[in-house]
PDB file of all heavy atoms in Angstrom:
ATOM      1  N   ARG E 208       3.970 -11.515 -42.082  1.00 96.00           N
ATOM      2  CA  ARG E 208       2.699 -12.193 -42.151  1.00 96.00           C
ATOM      3  C   ARG E 208       2.504 -13.164 -40.939  1.00 96.00           C
ATOM      4  O   ARG E 208       1.421 -13.839 -40.829  1.00 96.00           O
ATOM      5  CB  ARG E 208       2.626 -13.106 -43.531  1.00 96.00           C
ATOM      6  CG  ARG E 208       2.684 -12.222 -44.653  1.00 96.00           C
ATOM      7  CD  ARG E 208       2.428 -12.989 -45.968  1.00 96.00           C
ATOM      8  NE  ARG E 208       2.442 -12.191 -47.173  1.00 96.00           N
ATOM      9  CZ  ARG E 208       2.352 -12.693 -48.380  1.00 96.00           C
ATOM     10  NH1 ARG E 208       2.208 -13.990 -48.546  1.00 96.00           N
ATOM     11  NH2 ARG E 208       2.264 -11.908 -49.461  1.00 96.00           N
ATOM     12  N   GLU E 209       3.515 -13.235 -40.096  1.00 98.00           N
ATOM     13  CA  GLU E 209       3.432 -14.025 -38.921  1.00 98.00           C
ATOM     14  C   GLU E 209       3.143 -13.217 -37.689  1.00 98.00           C
ATOM     15  O   GLU E 209       3.098 -12.039 -37.747  1.00 98.00           O
ATOM     16  CB  GLU E 209       4.688 -14.893 -38.761  1.00 98.00           C
ATOM     17  CG  GLU E 209       5.054 -15.726 -40.005  1.00 98.00           C
ATOM     18  CD  GLU E 209       3.876 -16.748 -40.420  1.00 98.00           C
ATOM     19  OE1 GLU E 209       2.978 -17.058 -39.500  1.00 98.00           O
ATOM     20  OE2 GLU E 209       3.932 -17.290 -41.471  1.00 98.00           O
ATOM     21  N   TYR E 336      -8.283 -24.882 -46.266  1.00 97.00           N
ATOM     22  CA  TYR E 336      -7.063 -24.172 -46.027  1.00 97.00           C
ATOM     23  C   TYR E 336      -6.910 -23.565 -44.615  1.00 97.00           C
ATOM     24  O   TYR E 336      -6.050 -22.780 -44.288  1.00 97.00           O
ATOM     25  CB  TYR E 336      -6.923 -22.941 -47.018  1.00 97.00           C
ATOM     26  CG  TYR E 336      -6.957 -23.342 -48.415  1.00 97.00           C
ATOM     27  CD1 TYR E 336      -7.858 -22.757 -49.336  1.00 97.00           C
ATOM     28  CD2 TYR E 336      -6.084 -24.296 -48.943  1.00 97.00           C
ATOM     29  CE1 TYR E 336      -7.948 -23.167 -50.646  1.00 97.00           C
ATOM     30  CE2 TYR E 336      -6.173 -24.701 -50.328  1.00 97.00           C
ATOM     31  CZ  TYR E 336      -7.057 -24.086 -51.170  1.00 97.00           C
ATOM     32  OH  TYR E 336      -7.157 -24.406 -52.494  1.00 97.00           O
ATOM     33  N   ARG E 337      -7.808 -24.008 -43.777  1.00 95.00           N
ATOM     34  CA  ARG E 337      -7.732 -23.390 -42.368  1.00 95.00           C
ATOM     35  C   ARG E 337      -6.554 -23.770 -41.496  1.00 95.00           C
ATOM     36  O   ARG E 337      -6.205 -23.086 -40.620  1.00 95.00           O
ATOM     37  CB  ARG E 337      -9.014 -23.743 -41.606  1.00 95.00           C
ATOM     38  CG  ARG E 337      -9.147 -25.239 -41.223  1.00 95.00           C
ATOM     39  CD  ARG E 337     -10.424 -25.415 -40.314  1.00 95.00           C
ATOM     40  NE  ARG E 337     -10.589 -26.876 -39.971  1.00 95.00           N
ATOM     41  CZ  ARG E 337     -11.338 -27.588 -40.707  1.00 95.00           C
ATOM     42  NH1 ARG E 337     -11.898 -27.239 -41.699  1.00 95.00           N
ATOM     43  NH2 ARG E 337     -11.424 -28.937 -40.303  1.00 95.00           N
ATOM     44  N   ALA E 338      -5.917 -24.840 -41.927  1.00 97.00           N
ATOM     45  CA  ALA E 338      -4.649 -25.270 -41.165  1.00 97.00           C
ATOM     46  C   ALA E 338      -3.385 -25.285 -42.088  1.00 97.00           C
ATOM     47  O   ALA E 338      -2.614 -26.090 -42.100  1.00 97.00           O
ATOM     48  CB  ALA E 338      -4.893 -26.682 -40.618  1.00 97.00           C
ATOM     49  N   LEU E 339      -3.249 -24.133 -42.759  1.00 97.00           N
ATOM     50  CA  LEU E 339      -2.088 -24.005 -43.773  1.00 97.00           C
ATOM     51  C   LEU E 339      -0.814 -23.888 -42.909  1.00 97.00           C
ATOM     52  O   LEU E 339      -0.658 -22.918 -42.116  1.00 97.00           O
ATOM     53  CB  LEU E 339      -2.320 -22.764 -44.566  1.00 97.00           C
ATOM     54  CG  LEU E 339      -1.099 -22.377 -45.423  1.00 97.00           C
ATOM     55  CD1 LEU E 339      -0.650 -23.566 -46.392  1.00 97.00           C
ATOM     56  CD2 LEU E 339      -1.329 -21.134 -46.313  1.00 97.00           C
ATOM     57  N   PRO E 340       0.062 -24.815 -43.029  1.00 98.00           N
ATOM     58  CA  PRO E 340       1.392 -24.722 -42.259  1.00 98.00           C
ATOM     59  C   PRO E 340       2.468 -24.040 -43.001  1.00 98.00           C
ATOM     60  O   PRO E 340       2.436 -24.099 -44.312  1.00 98.00           O
ATOM     61  CB  PRO E 340       1.720 -26.197 -41.996  1.00 98.00           C
ATOM     62  CG  PRO E 340       1.234 -26.812 -43.215  1.00 98.00           C
ATOM     63  CD  PRO E 340      -0.095 -26.160 -43.704  1.00 98.00           C
ATOM     64  N   ARG E 341       3.354 -23.373 -42.344  1.00 97.00           N
ATOM     65  CA  ARG E 341       4.506 -22.748 -43.026  1.00 97.00           C
ATOM     66  C   ARG E 341       5.615 -22.620 -42.083  1.00 97.00           C
ATOM     67  O   ARG E 341       5.441 -22.573 -40.824  1.00 97.00           O
ATOM     68  CB  ARG E 341       4.204 -21.295 -43.564  1.00 97.00           C
ATOM     69  CG  ARG E 341       3.716 -20.327 -42.498  1.00 97.00           C
ATOM     70  CD  ARG E 341       2.201 -20.291 -42.424  1.00 97.00           C
ATOM     71  NE  ARG E 341       1.803 -19.241 -41.481  1.00 97.00           N
ATOM     72  CZ  ARG E 341       0.592 -19.281 -40.913  1.00 97.00           C
ATOM     73  NH1 ARG E 341      -0.280 -20.182 -41.227  1.00 97.00           N
ATOM     74  NH2 ARG E 341       0.238 -18.260 -40.111  1.00 97.00           N
ATOM     75  N   ALA E 351       4.476 -22.009 -38.182  1.00 98.00           N
ATOM     76  CA  ALA E 351       3.112 -21.512 -37.794  1.00 98.00           C
ATOM     77  C   ALA E 351       2.040 -22.258 -38.599  1.00 98.00           C
ATOM     78  O   ALA E 351       2.290 -22.819 -39.694  1.00 98.00           O
ATOM     79  CB  ALA E 351       2.970 -19.955 -38.045  1.00 98.00           C
ATOM     80  N   VAL E 352       0.764 -22.242 -38.064  1.00 98.00           N
ATOM     81  CA  VAL E 352      -0.338 -22.976 -38.715  1.00 98.00           C
ATOM     82  C   VAL E 352      -1.537 -22.146 -38.465  1.00 98.00           C
ATOM     83  O   VAL E 352      -1.779 -21.545 -37.350  1.00 98.00           O
ATOM     84  CB  VAL E 352      -0.407 -24.341 -38.273  1.00 98.00           C
ATOM     85  CG1 VAL E 352      -0.681 -24.475 -36.859  1.00 98.00           C
ATOM     86  CG2 VAL E 352      -1.543 -25.061 -39.140  1.00 98.00           C
ATOM     87  N   GLY E 353      -2.441 -22.059 -39.444  1.00 98.00           N
ATOM     88  CA  GLY E 353      -3.730 -21.296 -39.289  1.00 98.00           C
ATOM     89  C   GLY E 353      -3.500 -19.840 -39.187  1.00 98.00           C
ATOM     90  O   GLY E 353      -2.735 -19.218 -39.807  1.00 98.00           O
ATOM     91  N   LEU E 354      -4.415 -19.309 -38.369  1.00 98.00           N
ATOM     92  CA  LEU E 354      -4.537 -17.830 -38.156  1.00 98.00           C
ATOM     93  C   LEU E 354      -3.537 -17.236 -37.151  1.00 98.00           C
ATOM     94  O   LEU E 354      -3.285 -17.884 -36.064  1.00 98.00           O
ATOM     95  CB  LEU E 354      -5.934 -17.430 -37.782  1.00 98.00           C
ATOM     96  CG  LEU E 354      -7.128 -17.935 -38.728  1.00 98.00           C
ATOM     97  CD1 LEU E 354      -8.442 -17.507 -38.124  1.00 98.00           C
ATOM     98  CD2 LEU E 354      -6.984 -17.250 -40.104  1.00 98.00           C
ATOM     99  N   THR E 355      -3.049 -16.042 -37.472  1.00 98.00           N
ATOM    100  CA  THR E 355      -2.408 -15.344 -36.356  1.00 98.00           C
ATOM    101  C   THR E 355      -3.477 -14.673 -35.454  1.00 98.00           C
ATOM    102  O   THR E 355      -4.654 -14.619 -35.771  1.00 98.00           O
ATOM    103  CB  THR E 355      -1.580 -14.212 -36.982  1.00 98.00           C
ATOM    104  OG1 THR E 355      -2.363 -13.257 -37.624  1.00 98.00           O
ATOM    105  CG2 THR E 355      -0.552 -14.737 -37.956  1.00 98.00           C
ATOM    106  N   GLN E 358      -5.187 -11.933 -37.406  1.00 98.00           N
ATOM    107  CA  GLN E 358      -6.119 -12.392 -38.412  1.00 98.00           C
ATOM    108  C   GLN E 358      -7.391 -12.949 -37.798  1.00 98.00           C
ATOM    109  O   GLN E 358      -8.471 -12.706 -38.265  1.00 98.00           O
ATOM    110  CB  GLN E 358      -5.445 -13.524 -39.233  1.00 98.00           C
ATOM    111  CG  GLN E 358      -4.328 -12.989 -40.029  1.00 98.00           C
ATOM    112  CD  GLN E 358      -3.509 -14.173 -40.709  1.00 98.00           C
ATOM    113  OE1 GLN E 358      -3.480 -15.207 -40.108  1.00 98.00           O
ATOM    114  NE2 GLN E 358      -2.800 -13.829 -41.667  1.00 98.00           N
ATOM    115  N   VAL E 402      -7.299 -22.080 -33.403  1.00 98.00           N
ATOM    116  CA  VAL E 402      -7.485 -21.678 -34.860  1.00 98.00           C
ATOM    117  C   VAL E 402      -6.097 -21.204 -35.489  1.00 98.00           C
ATOM    118  O   VAL E 402      -5.988 -21.012 -36.570  1.00 98.00           O
ATOM    119  CB  VAL E 402      -8.518 -20.495 -35.020  1.00 98.00           C
ATOM    120  CG1 VAL E 402      -9.952 -20.926 -34.692  1.00 98.00           C
ATOM    121  CG2 VAL E 402      -8.063 -19.315 -34.174  1.00 98.00           C
ATOM    122  N   GLY E 403      -5.104 -21.200 -34.554  1.00 98.00           N
ATOM    123  CA  GLY E 403      -3.787 -20.862 -35.017  1.00 98.00           C
ATOM    124  C   GLY E 403      -2.745 -21.074 -33.970  1.00 98.00           C
ATOM    125  O   GLY E 403      -3.119 -21.284 -32.844  1.00 98.00           O
ATOM    126  N   ALA E 404      -1.495 -21.286 -34.356  1.00 98.00           N
ATOM    127  CA  ALA E 404      -0.405 -21.609 -33.424  1.00 98.00           C
ATOM    128  C   ALA E 404       0.885 -21.286 -34.069  1.00 98.00           C
ATOM    129  O   ALA E 404       1.084 -21.371 -35.350  1.00 98.00           O
ATOM    130  CB  ALA E 404      -0.467 -22.997 -32.957  1.00 98.00           C
ATOM    131  N   LEU E 415       5.404 -28.279 -34.844  1.00 98.00           N
ATOM    132  CA  LEU E 415       4.285 -27.734 -35.461  1.00 98.00           C
ATOM    133  C   LEU E 415       3.273 -28.890 -35.841  1.00 98.00           C
ATOM    134  O   LEU E 415       2.010 -28.707 -35.910  1.00 98.00           O
ATOM    135  CB  LEU E 415       4.581 -26.941 -36.755  1.00 98.00           C
ATOM    136  CG  LEU E 415       3.499 -26.308 -37.453  1.00 98.00           C
ATOM    137  CD1 LEU E 415       2.939 -25.078 -36.618  1.00 98.00           C
ATOM    138  CD2 LEU E 415       3.870 -25.818 -38.844  1.00 98.00           C
ATOM    139  N   ALA E 419      -0.731 -28.501 -35.954  1.00 98.00           N
ATOM    140  CA  ALA E 419      -1.433 -28.545 -37.196  1.00 98.00           C
ATOM    141  C   ALA E 419      -2.535 -29.515 -37.202  1.00 98.00           C
ATOM    142  O   ALA E 419      -3.561 -29.179 -37.660  1.00 98.00           O
ATOM    143  CB  ALA E 419      -0.468 -28.817 -38.409  1.00 98.00           C
ATOM    144  N   VAL E 422      -5.453 -27.927 -35.209  1.00 98.00           N
ATOM    145  CA  VAL E 422      -6.138 -26.870 -35.955  1.00 98.00           C
ATOM    146  C   VAL E 422      -6.974 -27.406 -36.988  1.00 98.00           C
ATOM    147  O   VAL E 422      -8.247 -27.088 -37.168  1.00 98.00           O
ATOM    148  CB  VAL E 422      -5.215 -25.858 -36.449  1.00 98.00           C
ATOM    149  CG1 VAL E 422      -5.944 -24.829 -37.300  1.00 98.00           C
ATOM    150  CG2 VAL E 422      -4.464 -25.021 -35.335  1.00 98.00           C
TER     151      VAL E 422
END
Side-chain angles (χ1 to χ4, degrees):
R208 296 185 179 181
E209 304 300 344
Y336 304 126
R337 68 173 176 270
L339 172 60
R341 58 266 181 198
V352 62
L354 303 176
T355 64
Q358 289 169 340
V402 293
L415 186 70
V422 173

